[in-house]
Amino acid sequence: MANVVVVGAQWGDEGKGKIVDWLSERADVIARFQGGHNAGHTLVIDGEVYKLSLLPSGIVRGGKLSVIGNGVVLDPWHLKDEIAKLQAQGVEISPDNLMIAENTPLILPVHGELDRARENQNSVAKIGTTGRGIGPAYEDKVGRRAIRVADLADRETLEKRVDRLLQHHDTLRRGMALPEVDRAALIAQLEEIAPTVLAYAAPVWKVLSEKRKAGKRILFEGAQGALLDIDFGTYPFVTSSNVIAGQAATGTGVGPGAIDFVLGIVKAYTTRVGEGPFPAELDDADGQRLGERGHEFGTVTGRKRRCGWFDAVLVRQTCATSGVSGIAFTKLDVLDGFEELKICVGYDLDGTRIDHLPTAADHQARCKPIYETMPGWSESTEGARSWADLPAEAIKYVRRVEELIECPVALLSTSPEREDTILVTDPFAD
Ligand code: GDP
């Protein structure tokens, strides 16, 4: 049986929700492997709207196992709220269909406080974090002072972990003129929430190994996008975890050989939220039009996303770093009605043509896009379900994208509706 990893191949908001939902219906196990409660998927199933930001998409479907892997950072209070909200909508959640890796690090109130305090220090350029403590929780994981799910089971261990953590945090907080952490209150909070988290705790690596032996299909559900990867993204304007497909293995405890197909989700144009370099960005009427037609506004903040033409250089790069087997090309319909379309095929860096995004942030910022122009189409592609429904120019555009990114299209999405998808290659096929 095939196991599939889904990753965003741009800066996030590529339309992963629809594709993950489509695939999760056909998977037995759905696993998250990085990030925190910032994923922000909205699923609409039989007219009911479900909002998920931490739990894997499979949770709303009966008969599936949802797994939170060790690569995630977990806010236990958020977990409790998200479970309660879904249960109130009639979703069944129990240790039978939700498991959390015992080695998952926790996000604590101190992490959110630190996140927000840093973003408010106006002397440093903002990274644009969500303020949910995700970055500081990853710092503590690497600093070997995190409190992990398994630590909640024993009071003595928990106290030792808290002491180690607070030694670091209180030092930092003193420097930032924040009050020291109330140790007793933190321990009491953790003891109170412990049973909720421990109920779902499991050796996830072992469960996944058994599922694989039993021939079950696993869907590894990525959040965000590969250009936000801590190593391969537009550092420092990135997230604090690895986002690329390799993280599916380390973030759940399966070997790299467990992954049969990497599906990269790619939007037919480019968007980015917040700060950071964006070579193909448009600040003209075309950019405005992409934003409006594509509804490119943040779901929580309502903030306008930055928009630009399709950047084949970036996507070729993320397809390489994630080993993408095939892409799901989304929002093609947003390009309907443009007289001509541009594709970024290279960069001009100080007079030299380059074919990849350079690593240094100042070089990235100086990259000027080199465009290729293609004719647009006036017909509607919205809702197309077969190649025959697409105008010739739209097919040419898709084919040119495949050529430039050196990766085939496996799925083509032409509207927010699940059924409005053209299937070229089934990622789950053996
Ligand atoms: P994610 O951050 O990658 O999970 O992106 P979302 O799943 O939130 O998708 C962003 C928006 O794009 C959602 O409102 C989707 O309904 C919408 N969407 C997804 N695919 C398509 C598509 O093919 N065409 C159009 N017009 N909208 C789409």
Side-chain angles (χ1 to χ4, degrees), residues 53 70 126 159 164 167 217 288 331-332 354 375 413:
S53 58
N70 55 280
K126 288 192 193 326
E159 288 198 19
R164 189 174 161 79
Q167 193 180 38
R217 288 172 162 177
Q288 186 82 12
K331 296 187 119 175
L332 184 69
I354 54 170
S413 166

Side-chain angles (χ1 to χ4, degrees), residues 63-86:
K64 317 267 177 206
L65 173 63
S66 287
V67 161
I68 294 179
N70 55 280
V72 170
V73 282
L74 181 99
D75 180 326
W77 297 276
H78 177 88
L79 173 78
K80 191 176 175 189
D81 284 353
E82 197 166 312
I83 290 176
K85 277 193 192 126
L86 289 170

